């Protein structure tokens, strides 16, 4: 989904610039995008393809950059020790995947499994303090 969002952003921004210069027709979609950009709101064109958020455009862009960086690091360096669950479009699918991995490892029916959570108040900076992945489950 992020690729779709990034492609739409990559297309729409230059297209909007061209429309401002009069090189292409200013469609209603581009006009609405311009209004949203001017008022620091996420254009509907992007919001429809991006993660649900009530953030203003400036914060939304920073969040989007962080999410893409998280996924790029995952694809470039393998599975992380700690997952940023808020960085997913659909965290439920990630959690279901964690259950599936456990079910396959121990040859259990996934519908017999549930989640167990352990709150770790002793960890302040998970990226530096957690040195290895858990044997079972995930750190989020």
């Amino acid at each position: 989904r992020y690729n779709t969002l990034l492609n739409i952003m990559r297309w729409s921004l230059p297209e909007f610039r061209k429309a401002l210069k009069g090189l292409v027709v200013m469609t209603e979609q581009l006009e609405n995008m311009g209004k949203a950009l001017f008022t620091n709101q996420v254009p509907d064109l992007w919001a429809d393809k991006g993660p649900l958020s009530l953030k203003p455009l400036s914060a939304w862009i920073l969040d989007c950059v962080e999410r893409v960086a998280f996924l790029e690091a995952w694809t470039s360096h393998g599975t992380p020790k700690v997952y940023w669950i808020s960085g997913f479009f659909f965290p439920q699918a990630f959690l279901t995947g964690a259950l599936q991995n456990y079910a396959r490892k121990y040859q259990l029916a996934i519908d017999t499994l549930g989640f167990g959570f352990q709150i770790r108040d002793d960890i302040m900076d998970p990226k530096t303090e957690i040195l290895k992945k858990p044997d079972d489950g995930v750190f989020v």
Side-chain angles (χ1 to χ4, degrees), residues 69-133:
F70 168 69
L71 293 173
E72 277 184 351
W74 187 352
T75 59
S76 299
H77 306 295
T79 55
K81 297 175 289 190
V82 179
Y83 292 89
W84 178 35
I85 197 159
S86 301
F88 294 117
F89 259 107
F90 190 58
Q92 297 90 326
F94 170 75
L95 294 172
T96 300
L99 278 181
Q100 286 175 333
N101 288 339
Y102 186 88
R104 287 182 186 135
K105 181 176 180 180
Y106 294 103
Q107 299 177 351
L108 299 168
I110 192 169
D111 58 346
T112 63
L113 299 177
F115 288 106
F117 296 93
Q118 184 180 32
I119 307 300
R120 299 286 308 266
D121 290 333
D122 59 317
I123 297 175
M124 296 298 157
D125 185 9
K127 290 181 181 177
T128 58
E129 293 181 47
I130 295 177
L131 303 177
K132 69 178 194 114
K133 301 172 196 172

Side-chain angles (χ1 to χ4, degrees), residues 16 31-43 57:
F16 179 66
E31 186 175 347
N32 290 339
M33 185 179 113
K35 287 177 184 176
L37 294 174
F38 183 72
T39 58
N40 197 31
Q41 296 176 353
V42 179
L57 178 63

Side-chain angles (χ1 to χ4, degrees), residues 17-38:
R17 282 191 191 128
K18 289 177 193 174
L20 286 175
K21 292 178 184 178
L23 301 174
V24 297
V25 174
M26 177 71 78
T27 63
E28 183 178 353
Q29 188 178 48
L30 289 175
E31 186 175 347
N32 290 339
M33 185 179 113
K35 287 177 184 176
L37 294 174
F38 183 72

